[in-house]
Amino acid sequence: MFDLIIRNANLPDGRQGVDLGLKGGKITAIERSIAATAGDDIDATGRLVSPPFCDPHFHMDATLSLGMPRMNVSGTLLEGIALWGELRPLLTKEALVERALRYCDLAVSQGLLYIRSHVDTSDPRLVTAEALLEVKEKVAPYIDLQLVAFPQDGYYRAPDGVRSLERALDMGIGIVGGIPHFERTMEDGTRSVEALCRIAADRGLPVDMHCDETDDPMSRHIETLAAQTVRFGLKGRVAGSHLTSMHSMDNYYVSKLIPLIAEAEINVIPNPLINIMLQGRHDTYPKRRGMTRVRELMAAGLNVSFGHDCVMDPWYSMGSGDMLEVAHMAIHVAQMAGIEDKHKIFDAITVNSAKTMGLDGYGLDIGCKADLIVLQAADVTEALRLKPNRLFVIKAGKVIARTAPRIGELFLGGRPASIDCAQDYLPQTPQR
Ligand code: FE2
């Protein structure tokens, strides 16, 4: 007897027509055909069933604040930071919680159940930390929310930046952030990486640093982050977010750098939507794309996962909490449209992100958590192409969200008809 059986599912690894039995919050059977009955059945014939999406890089304290107190006119990262600085003194805990909870509702409807959010610690009031810690507790039954203490205005550059970050960690924020390229000098950036890695080692915490989010090829803080990761014994517990300067670096230097990042086992988190929107803003033409070297980093065996970063905030006026939109952009910017490439990109918003976030029990094996999504697409390549509806979102074996399939109603010369928007016009999808 099961609590729920998902019947006739297609899985991301290409298996088709598989039944999944869920019981006690875990996946307890994966078989060709489960004979037993269940409290509930979902017919997933022709639909992709995947573990939920994971977003390893987000800013939940800023989300849904677009237009407060004004719009970003230049569209640059630096005006976004300045604009956030204008909004920050006006922030209240209540408003932060309300906006974050609204975003979490949206995330659930999109099948996004694991999120790592940076929390700005630049304002010594730390209302951001108070609010997001409350949100973390509130959403715990349905979203696993990890929080990073993030000194947006610079660990050394912001007045009280050093003390505020430590206080945020004391309050219970569990990951050490940083922003070395935004410190006043290269030297301060280098010192900040060392100090923050030391704090993480002393407290036994992971590190997730905004690193080299710039078009300046001389911004090489990732080199220091790799060295300090090895020095402090933090291998596998450190993430380098953005790394956009790598896009503009000299190829010879990158051939030295990537093995250093691999040696330190740093998890790499590009943010394709935000990188393509914010980088290259000072270029005329040709205009740089700004995203880091995804294909080369993956080829070196590094764990690459994609973040959404922003939704409707001072940096990005778009976004919908949909990790398939993030992956869709990554395919274009990284020019990774082959079938194998697309599977690697899908991994970057699922299993790779889960590894970055250190999630236990994530996946599609017996004994894994019964956290699953059913998509209105037949396989991974269709899911990436169509960004289809999430028909069922399942947490701990229970359906927590559902969206009707997108069905088009046609009226053609008095000949009414309907089409399944995800499937009826599809050519046969090639196998890998
Ligand atoms: Fe970010």
Side-chain angles (χ1 to χ4, degrees):
M1 184 68 184
F2 297 94
D3 301 326
L4 176 65
I5 297 175
I6 304 172
R7 295 196 186 273
N8 215 15
N10 296 345
L11 304 185
D13 65 8
R15 277 179 287 170
Q16 296 188 331
V18 175
D19 289 1
L20 296 119
L22 316 180
K23 188 169 175 57
K26 296 240 163 79
I27 300 173
T28 53
I30 303 176
E31 295 170 17
R32 180 56 57 191
S33 179
I34 296 175
T37 55
D40 208 356
D41 259 34
I42 291 175
D43 178 8
T45 303
R47 309 297 197 193
L48 175 67
V49 174
S50 163
F53 298 124
C54 312
D55 180 0
H57 186 115
F58 194 64
H59 294 264
M60 207 175 275
D61 49 3
T63 196
L64 306 184
S65 68
L66 182 68
M68 299 177 196
R70 62 179 177 82
M71 297 293 282
N72 182 338
V73 178
S74 68
T76 59
L77 171 66
L78 294 179
E79 184 174 343
I81 293 175
L83 182 47
W84 174 242
E86 291 171 34
L87 175 59
R88 199 164 36 210
L90 312 175
L91 294 173
T92 64
K93 183 179 164 190
E94 293 68 30
L96 283 158
V97 169
E98 187 271 325
R99 285 194 279 106
L101 290 177
R102 253 194 298 142
Y103 182 76
C104 287
D105 287 351
L106 176 64
V108 169
S109 74
Q110 301 279 34
L112 170 55
L113 301 187
Y114 301 92
I115 303 174
R116 175 180 283 184
S117 175
H118 293 255
V119 180
D120 185 7
T121 58
S122 305
D123 180 346
R125 292 185 304 147
L126 289 176
V127 282
T128 45
E130 269 180 43
L132 268 291
L133 283 163
E134 185 177 316
V135 170
K136 180 182 164 78
E137 213 176 292
K138 280 199 157 113
V139 302
Y142 50 96
I143 287 180
D144 187 337
L145 177 60
Q146 300 183 350
L147 301 177
V148 185
F150 171 50
Q152 171 76 74
D153 286 357
Y155 180 61
Y156 290 126
R157 187 169 167 181
D160 247 352
V162 171
R163 221 160 56 87
S164 293
L165 184 132
E166 296 252 16
R167 282 173 49 224
L169 296 176
D170 290 341
M171 287 166 71
I173 291 191
I175 303 171
V176 181
I179 186 165
H181 56 278
F182 196 67
E183 302 292 349
R184 285 197 173 82
T185 62
M186 282 292 180
E187 290 72 20
D188 280 357
T190 305
R191 285 199 303 125
S192 78
V193 173
E194 180 181 356
L196 292 161
C197 285
R198 186 187 298 278
I199 289 170
D202 289 348
R203 290 178 178 251
L205 299 177
V207 173
D208 191 331
M209 219 171 266
H210 283 65
C211 199
D212 303 325
E213 188 184 3
T214 159
D215 293 315
D216 175 6
M218 297 312 292
S219 187
R220 296 178 170 186
H221 295 293
I222 180 59
E223 180 188 82
T224 308
L225 182 60
Q228 298 297 347
T229 297
V230 174
R231 175 186 172 198
F232 285 108
L234 295 169
K235 276 188 185 185
R237 284 163 47 197
V238 174
S241 285
H242 291 292
L243 309 186
T244 53
S245 72
M246 280 184 76
H247 185 91
S248 300
M249 282 174 182
D250 169 72
N251 287 336
Y252 178 80
Y253 174 66
V254 171
S255 74
K256 176 198 170 198
L257 178 62
I258 289 182
L260 291 177
I261 302 172
E263 180 198 5
E265 296 170 27
I266 287 179
N267 297 294
V268 177
I269 310 177
N271 295 286
L273 294 170
I274 284 20
N275 298 154
I276 199 69
M277 184 63 91
L278 296 182
Q279 300 304 309
R281 286 275 176 160
H282 298 260
D283 293 354
T284 53
Y285 290 94
K287 209 181 236 305
R288 284 169 289 182
R289 289 162 183 243
M291 192 167 77
T292 195
R293 304 188 186 204
V294 169
R295 185 188 291 281
E296 292 76 8
L297 289 160
M298 284 180 170
L302 279 150
N303 185 51
V304 177
S305 48
F306 296 128
H308 201 318
D309 202 1
C310 302
V311 171
M312 306 276 285
D313 69 11
W315 296 274
Y316 190 60
S317 62
M318 309 272 290
S320 60
D322 184 0
M323 293 308 292
L324 286 172
E325 194 175 311
V326 174
H328 191 268
M329 179 60 76
I331 287 171
H332 289 80
V333 182
Q335 298 178 325
M336 289 180 66
I339 295 172
E340 288 286 347
D341 287 342
K342 285 181 183 153
H343 280 265
K344 286 178 189 164
I345 296 279
F346 193 80
D347 286 349
I349 56 169
T350 51
V351 289
N352 296 6
S353 294
K355 185 176 176 196
T356 298
M357 295 174 70
L359 302 178
D360 285 330
Y362 178 91
L364 269 179
D365 292 315
I366 304 279
C368 286
K369 288 181 182 168
D371 298 350
L372 296 162
I373 54 176
V374 182
L375 295 119
Q376 191 189 359
D379 60 24
V380 163
T381 57
E382 279 185 20
L384 290 165
R385 184 170 68 87
L386 298 168
K387 293 164 274 168
N389 285 1
R390 319 304 121 104
L391 304 177
F392 297 91
V393 179
I394 296 158
K395 176 74 182 176
K398 293 194 174 65
V399 175
I400 58 167
R402 58 188 297 174
T403 302
R406 233 163 50 205
I407 304 291
E409 297 292 327
L410 307 182
F411 307 95
L412 304 172
R415 177 170 59 84
S418 64
I419 56 163
D420 180 328
C421 298
Q423 294 192 329
D424 280 6
Y425 285 161
L426 291 176
Q428 191 67 36
T429 303
Q431 299 300 306
R432 333 196 220 181

